[in-house]
């Protein structure tokens, strides 16, 4: 019971950290790009990852976490795939209308559900599927305005959706298969993500903005916002891996849409962005979908936890036999003493 309570508190903490840091960085980057004219999103992301890696390296030297090397090919492939997915999402935004880009982000959840169902044999109940449908409909009403299609933009969006889904599923499966923490995985994959975007970023940004990041006039105000954005990104990157590791890729995407609703609300309150009844209706429907999703996930977790003991006991026996070498020596000694007595 105590372990379960600790797990739930850790999950709530991870979700809260992800929401606060993501909304903060969106507001910071919006000021940087809209007000100060710094439109180099891909290059900025590479700087985020470099600062994240440096921060984690300092934390490692301070022995705040333990370095745990594992399959290097998996790390390199995962890091490069993550970098590619970020670049493709930025290209999708550049070659499509904002409405179509929002549809691209909405497509990530059904694509993730499909991939996990087909390849990982994961089952999603009808209740979960219904709550996700309500959520996606609400976010669509709130954010999707125009849908202008073009062939290149559609191809880029499809590639962005697939690579993002695969990268997020890998974030979860790698942590579980290799028994590494979110911090350990982020520390080892960060250099490859940063390298991928650091090399491709200036070219992608020039293609999208027709401007050169190296020729930009960096004022003191711009530098302050860049530094602030990089510092917040450490929390964003850490919480992303933490949330996906503790929950699932689908839950992380649900959380992402909650952030979208919060950004719309904060944009109206703080920046006086235009807001309509359609936005309010969409956000209300999306929040209802999120509440339903949370409720059904909680109910299913409780039903799994309260399985009959006659089903759990044989399973626990098999697990204890399979993991005999991982048992605590103290427990073995106590058990032996009881048998001798």
């Amino acid at each position: 019971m105590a372990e379960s309570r600790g797990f739930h508190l850790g999950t709530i903490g991870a979700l809260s950290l992800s929401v606060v840091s993501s909304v903060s960085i969106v507001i910071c980057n919006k000021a940087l790009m809209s007000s100060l004219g710094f439109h180099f999103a891909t290059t900025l992301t590479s700087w985020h990852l470099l600062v994240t890696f440096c921060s984690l390296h300092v934390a490692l030297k301070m022995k705040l976490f333990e370095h745990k090397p594992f399959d290097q090919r998996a790390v390199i492939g995962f890091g490069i795939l993550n970098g590619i997915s970020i670049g493709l999402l930025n290209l999708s935004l550049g070659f499509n209308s904002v409405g179509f880009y929002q549809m691209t982000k909405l497509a990530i959840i059904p694509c993730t559900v499909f991939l996990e169902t087909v390849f990982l044999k994961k089952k999603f109940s009808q209740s979960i599927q219904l709550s996700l449908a309500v959520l996606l409909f609400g976010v669509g009403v709130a954010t999707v305005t125009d849908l202008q299609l073009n062939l290149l933009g559609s191809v880029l969006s499809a590639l962005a959706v697939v690579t993002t889904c695969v990268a997020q599923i890998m974030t979860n499966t790698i942590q579980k298969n290799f028994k590494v923490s979110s911090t350990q995985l982020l520390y080892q994959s960060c250099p490859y993500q940063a390298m991928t975007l650091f090399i491709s970023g200036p070219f992608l940004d020039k293609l999208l903005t027709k401007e050169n990041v190296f020729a930009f006039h960096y004022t003191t105000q711009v530098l302050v916002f860049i530094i602030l954005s990089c510092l917040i990104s450490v929390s964003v990157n850490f919480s992303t891996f933490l949330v996906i590791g503790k929950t699932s890729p689908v839950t992380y995407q649900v959380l992402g849409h909650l952030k979208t609703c919060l950004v719309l609300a904060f944009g109206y309150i703080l920046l006086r962005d235009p807001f309509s009844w359609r936005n309010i209706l969409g956000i209300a429907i999306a929040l209802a979908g999120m509440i339903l999703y949370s409720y059904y996930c909680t109910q299913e977790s409780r039903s799994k936890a309260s399985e009959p003991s006659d089903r759990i006991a044989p399973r626990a026996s098999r697990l204890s036999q399979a993991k005999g070498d991982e048992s605590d020596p103290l427990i073995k000694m106590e058990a032996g003493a009881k048998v001798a007595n």
Side-chain angles (χ1 to χ4, degrees):
M1 183 68 72
E3 288 182 2
S4 176
R5 189 179 304 161
F7 174 79
H8 287 306
L9 287 174
T11 303
I12 292 170
L15 296 172
S16 303
L17 178 64
S18 180
V19 170
V20 172
S21 57
S22 296
V23 172
S24 300
I25 202 169
V26 166
I27 294 173
C28 178
N29 288 348
K30 188 168 184 179
L32 182 62
M33 295 180 183
S34 300
S35 303
L36 301 176
F38 187 87
H39 303 125
F40 310 103
T42 309
T43 303
L44 180 62
T45 305
S46 71
W47 297 345
H48 287 170
L49 290 164
L50 285 172
V51 172
T52 299
F53 174 73
C54 293
S55 302
L56 290 176
H57 191 68
V58 171
L60 179 65
K61 292 298 182 183
M62 295 173 64
K63 297 184 179 180
L64 296 178
F65 72 96
E66 181 184 353
H67 180 48
K68 184 180 178 181
F70 60 99
D71 190 350
Q72 196 63 21
R73 287 182 299 178
V75 174
I76 295 173
F78 170 71
I80 293 175
L81 180 65
N82 254 311
I84 291 172
S85 71
I86 294 170
L88 285 171
L89 280 170
N90 288 339
L91 283 174
S92 173
L93 177 59
F95 283 91
N96 289 302
S97 64
V98 175
F100 192 82
Y101 175 72
Q102 291 296 338
M103 286 295 295
T104 299
K105 291 171 68 177
L106 292 178
I108 292 175
I109 284 184
C111 182
T112 303
V113 170
F114 173 77
L115 291 175
E116 289 195 310
T117 302
V118 173
F119 295 103
L120 301 181
K121 307 303 179 185
K122 187 173 181 179
K123 294 182 179 179
F124 295 87
S125 66
Q126 290 185 344
S127 301
I128 294 290
Q129 294 177 31
L130 174 63
S131 62
L132 290 174
V134 173
L135 164 68
L136 295 175
F137 176 73
V139 176
V141 170
T143 61
V144 178
T145 51
D146 57 329
L147 285 176
Q148 300 174 10
L149 302 178
N150 65 82
L151 180 59
L152 178 59
S154 300
V155 171
L156 289 171
S157 293
L159 291 173
V161 168
V162 173
T163 53
T164 300
C165 292
V166 173
Q168 291 182 359
I169 291 172
M170 285 180 68
T171 303
N172 182 272
T173 54
I174 286 176
Q175 290 185 55
K176 292 180 178 176
N177 292 345
F178 292 101
K179 302 294 187 294
V180 293
S181 68
S182 55
T183 311
Q184 291 166 334
L185 177 59
L186 180 60
Y187 175 70
Q188 294 186 65
S189 63
C190 239
Y192 302 104
Q193 296 182 58
M195 180 181 63
T196 303
L197 294 175
F198 193 75
I199 294 171
S200 61
F203 299 101
L204 292 179
D205 288 333
K206 190 169 185 178
L207 178 66
L208 295 172
T209 65
K210 310 301 181 186
E211 298 177 32
N212 188 344
V213 65
F214 301 110
F216 185 79
H217 179 58
Y218 292 88
T219 63
T220 304
Q221 194 175 10
V222 169
L223 291 174
V224 168
F225 271 92
I226 289 175
I227 293 170
L228 180 61
S229 178
C230 289
L231 292 176
I232 299 174
S233 73
V234 177
S235 178
V236 172
N237 291 324
F238 173 72
S239 62
T240 296
F241 279 57
L242 190 62
V243 168
I244 296 176
K246 282 187 171 292
T247 57
S248 70
V250 173
T251 299
Y252 175 73
Q253 285 300 323
V254 170
L255 189 68
H257 292 305
L258 170 61
K259 299 171 196 173
T260 300
C261 295
L262 290 175
V263 167
L264 285 173
F266 279 123
Y268 172 72
I269 296 169
L270 300 177
L271 305 176
R272 297 301 175 187
D273 288 343
F275 211 64
S276 65
W277 283 106
R278 175 176 172 172
N279 298 127
I280 297 172
L281 175 63
I283 289 174
I285 296 172
L287 290 175
M290 291 173 204
I291 292 170
L292 286 173
Y293 177 80
S294 301
Y295 172 76
Y296 289 132
C297 283
T298 304
Q299 291 296 105
E300 291 185 7
S301 297
R302 286 177 179 172
S303 63
K304 288 179 182 177
S306 59
E307 284 182 337
S309 57
D310 59 338
R311 291 176 57 190
I312 295 177
R315 189 183 309 167
S317 176
R318 290 195 300 271
L319 285 173
S320 63
Q321 292 174 1
K323 297 185 177 181
D325 295 336
E326 297 175 9
S327 300
D328 190 340
L330 180 61
I331 297 174
K332 286 184 177 178
M333 289 172 65
E334 290 177 352
K338 288 179 182 177
V339 171
N341 290 335

